[in-house]
Amino acid sequence: MENTVTGKTYIGKVEKTGFVFAALGQGAMYAMMTSWLNRFYTDVLGLELLFVMGLMWGARIVFALGDPIMGALVDRTRTRFGKMRQYLLFSPFIVSVLSVFLFADFGLDMTGKMIYAAVTYIVWGIAYAICDVPFWGLPYAMTPNVEERNKFLSLARTLNSIGGALPIAVVALLISDSILGLRNGLLAGAIIFAAVAVVPFSLTAFYTRERIEPQKERLPVKDSLGLMFKCKPLIFVMLFGVLSFGRYMIQASYTYAADYVFDYNETVSGFTAFVYDSRQIFGAALIGLGMFPSMILMPRLLRRFGTRTLSIAAGVGSGVILGLFYLVGRLTDYNFYVAIPFLFLGGMPLGLYNIITFSLAGECIDYIEYKFSIRSEGVVSSAISFVGKVASATAAGVIPLVLELSDYVQPETVDGVTVIMEQSDSAKNAIFMLMSAIPAISLALSAIPMVAYSLVGRKKAEMEKVLEEQHIAKLEMSGALPEGGTEADAAALSDEASDKSGSEAENALNEHGREDPPHGQSDGEASESTPSQGEDGE
């Protein structure tokens, strides 16, 4: 169960509404890339599958390695905006523009297309890290109330997932030859979702507030990065995230399966075009809808079962469902109507992992502060971003690799129209495996490291209780208001804090937290030193 000291909530309605809509826009913009960029590279630009695989793996691994550095820089930042908000003043606009250029085809020769794809993708990834790491670090600093934080994160990640589902359905409609076609439909989708994201994403810097202040001392980047490896629970969370790379394959692979496995048509016209388009959209909508039951119930499930139990259940359950999907699909010769319930259930891991991972990150941030008296929103948020990019890079690389190893035939362009080609049985099986059997194995394996995750039960409850009491005491002494508080409340709190001096102020703080730094450290050691090698959190 979650442990909360008081019933106070701190995140106001404007903050909450603005942030969750920014999360929706960000999810849509990012999903446009993860769901359709492979298809753009292979079926529009006509890039070699091995080149696409190398670009996806190489560039995303570089992006992932840069995320922890960005996180360490965030944790060293001290401005009037706080640690994170100032990075959101400019980066969302840059990322939105670059997101459009990812899907632009200027008719270059093959060498030019390869250079263009590599440059735009790498620049986009660098710019995205600058806004993604601080954006998802913000919720952990917006409230000292653990239960409020979990509910707020669940809402934000739910809206983020709704945004992530939109490009699948909307772009599937746009790319039909009866509307814009593949090339123009993908570009139009990129423009639409970049526009949806840019305004709310950019305004986040102005209407949010970082209420939990970091320690005054700034850790060196090297020592800040070292916290990731001194926090054993975070290591298990990172393994959980990397091994679950298959969740990123379900949506991206469906864009191929809808064309080549469930509904192949050499010519697309009339009623056949309607069926073709509706299956592409209907299947994508089913995957998107499958996310939401688990996400809506997530706050209640977290209180009842906890993060470790849900993480293990998500991995094992998703593995079983997707494994059955593969077997039933093969036995029914990929019957689309038989696939319908599995498409819905296949969306569930996308919702489950989308929220669980961020709840686990909050626990790791708390744990690092509890043990070492260091706030680490930037580093932990970047660690989650790191594993997400490694996982998505793995997924993005596996797709062209499997297609290359099969007999997959890329589309041909005839008179400016992209014509999909008939695929062999081996190619169809390979595509179907990409959205069923391979994700099943990946998600089942992700449950293994969470068996050793130790932030559960009384240990977790005591940690959250102590930290929440400390944070609330500091907020009250500074005159900070909970949601719905009045200026008179703030003045009273401020007067109360100013009346306490010397030992009185110290006693007031100690009533809400620990009297001594953790594990016998002195004040200087707690705030300036990195954790000792032997402290593993068990």
Side-chain angles (χ1 to χ4, degrees):
M1 293 181 63
E2 301 294 346
N3 178 57
T4 183
V5 175
T6 73
K8 293 180 180 178
T9 56
Y10 292 80
I11 303 174
K13 293 180 180 179
V14 173
E15 279 184 295
K16 184 180 295 184
T17 303
F19 189 92
V20 299
F21 277 100
L24 183 147
Q26 189 223 28
M29 184 171 61
Y30 186 73
M32 181 68 208
M33 185 276 294
T34 57
S35 299
W36 291 104
L37 193 58
N38 251 320
R39 186 78 185 274
F40 176 74
Y41 284 160
T42 61
D43 289 9
V44 175
L45 295 186
L47 299 177
E48 293 290 335
L49 291 170
L50 290 179
F51 171 80
V52 175
M53 179 189 71
L55 176 61
M56 291 295 180
W57 271 351
R60 291 196 194 186
I61 293 299
V62 171
F63 301 158
L65 294 174
D67 280 348
I69 297 174
M70 183 65 204
L73 293 175
V74 167
D75 282 338
R76 283 181 55 82
T77 301
R78 303 287 187 275
T79 71
R80 66 186 182 90
F81 284 97
K83 288 168 54 175
M84 291 163 276
R85 290 186 297 155
Q86 66 279 354
Y87 293 103
L88 301 174
L89 292 172
F90 61 91
S91 55
F93 175 76
I94 296 173
V95 173
S96 297
V97 173
L98 291 172
S99 295
V100 174
F101 278 96
L102 282 177
F103 290 90
D105 178 12
F106 293 102
L108 305 173
D109 60 23
M110 187 54 63
T111 301
K113 289 178 179 179
M114 293 169 68
I115 294 173
Y116 178 82
V119 170
T120 53
Y121 187 53
I122 291 171
V123 173
W124 178 90
I126 294 170
Y128 187 79
I130 296 173
C131 62
D132 183 59
V133 171
F135 180 77
W136 287 111
L138 262 176
Y140 305 111
M142 290 172 67
T143 176
N145 184 321
V146 175
E147 187 169 355
E148 181 186 25
R149 181 185 72 192
N150 285 338
K151 288 181 178 179
F152 177 59
L153 269 172
S154 294
L155 178 62
R157 294 306 300 180
T158 299
L159 268 291
N160 183 261
S161 295
I162 291 174
L166 291 176
I168 296 291
V170 173
V171 177
L173 178 64
L174 294 176
I175 65 174
S176 67
D177 288 336
S178 58
I179 299 182
L180 292 176
L182 186 61
R183 176 183 283 101
N184 293 331
L186 290 176
L187 179 60
I191 293 172
I192 290 169
F193 292 112
V196 167
V198 65
V199 174
F201 205 0
S202 298
L203 290 177
T204 306
F206 298 99
Y207 52 67
T208 56
R209 179 179 175 186
E210 299 175 31
R211 293 178 176 83
I212 300 179
E213 296 183 0
Q215 72 284 352
K216 293 182 180 179
E217 293 76 14
R218 305 184 189 188
L219 284 179
V221 171
K222 180 182 69 173
D223 293 342
S224 187
L225 292 174
L227 289 170
M228 289 193 298
F229 304 100
K230 303 290 177 66
C231 178
K232 185 177 288 187
L234 181 58
I235 293 174
F236 292 127
V237 172
M238 293 172 71
L239 289 172
F240 172 71
V242 171
L243 289 173
S244 64
F245 69 88
R247 60 192 163 116
Y248 292 102
M249 297 176 61
I250 298 170
Q251 284 181 306
S253 299
Y254 181 75
T255 65
Y256 289 91
D259 281 355
Y260 301 117
V261 177
F262 294 124
D263 186 31
Y264 166 73
N265 290 283
E266 184 176 356
T267 58
V268 181
S269 61
F271 180 74
T272 305
F274 171 76
V275 174
Y276 164 78
D277 291 337
S278 65
R279 286 192 180 180
Q280 178 76 266
I281 297 167
F282 184 51
L286 283 171
I287 295 173
L289 289 172
M291 301 179 190
F292 300 121
S294 56
M295 290 192 297
I296 292 170
L297 294 173
M298 187 57 66
R300 187 173 300 174
L301 292 173
L302 285 171
R303 287 195 300 272
R304 177 67 180 85
F305 299 106
T307 51
R308 183 175 71 178
T309 300
L310 285 178
S311 299
I312 296 171
V316 174
S318 299
V320 171
I321 290 170
L322 292 171
L324 287 173
F325 184 22
Y326 177 73
L327 294 176
V328 173
R330 291 281 288 167
L331 290 173
T332 60
D333 196 25
Y334 313 118
N335 185 294
F336 179 76
Y337 301 102
V338 173
I340 286 175
F342 290 101
L343 291 173
F344 177 81
L345 294 173
M348 294 185 70
L350 302 179
L352 286 167
Y353 282 82
N354 203 5
I355 293 178
I356 289 176
T357 306
F358 283 81
S359 296
L360 290 165
E363 293 173 0
C364 292
I365 291 170
D366 290 343
Y367 176 76
I368 291 173
E369 183 179 12
Y370 181 74
K371 273 189 72 74
F372 310 123
S373 299
I374 297 169
R375 288 296 296 179
S376 56
E377 293 96 342
V379 165
V380 174
S381 178
S382 70
I384 300 304
S385 180
F386 169 84
V387 299
K389 287 179 180 176
V390 171
S392 65
T394 303
V398 167
I399 291 173
L401 175 62
V402 172
L403 293 179
E404 177 68 21
L405 294 175
S406 70
D407 299 323
Y408 175 71
V409 181
Q410 293 180 253
E412 295 181 357
T413 301
V414 179
D415 297 329
V417 178
T418 301
V419 180
I420 61 175
M421 309 300 292
E422 175 67 274
Q423 302 296 332
S424 66
D425 289 339
S426 64
K428 290 182 178 181
N429 181 51
I431 293 171
F432 190 57
M433 286 179 63
L434 286 170
M435 66 173 300
S436 56
I438 296 176
I441 296 170
S442 160
L443 295 171
L445 289 174
S446 73
I448 296 175
M450 294 310 296
V451 175
Y453 184 77
S454 62
L455 295 182
V456 295
R458 292 182 180 179
K459 179 178 181 178
K460 174 188 170 187
E462 174 62 21
M463 174 186 74
E464 292 178 345
K465 179 176 183 294
V466 169
L467 291 178
E468 188 174 339
E469 287 174 339
Q470 287 184 338
H471 295 156
I472 290 173
K474 291 178 181 178
L475 284 171
E476 288 179 345
M477 292 179 68
S478 66
L481 283 173
E483 181 191 9
T486 65
E487 295 300 323
D489 295 331
L493 289 170
S494 181
D495 291 342
E496 180 183 351
S498 64
D499 288 341
K500 297 175 181 177
S501 61
S503 60
E504 292 181 348
E506 183 177 354
N507 291 336
L509 180 58
N510 287 337
E511 289 176 3
H512 294 273
R514 295 187 306 267
E515 182 173 356
D516 299 316
H519 293 265
Q521 292 176 311
S522 68
D523 289 340
E525 290 172 335
S527 59
E528 296 177 3
S529 302
T530 55
S532 63
Q533 191 69 28
E535 293 172 339
D536 59 12
E538 293 302 305

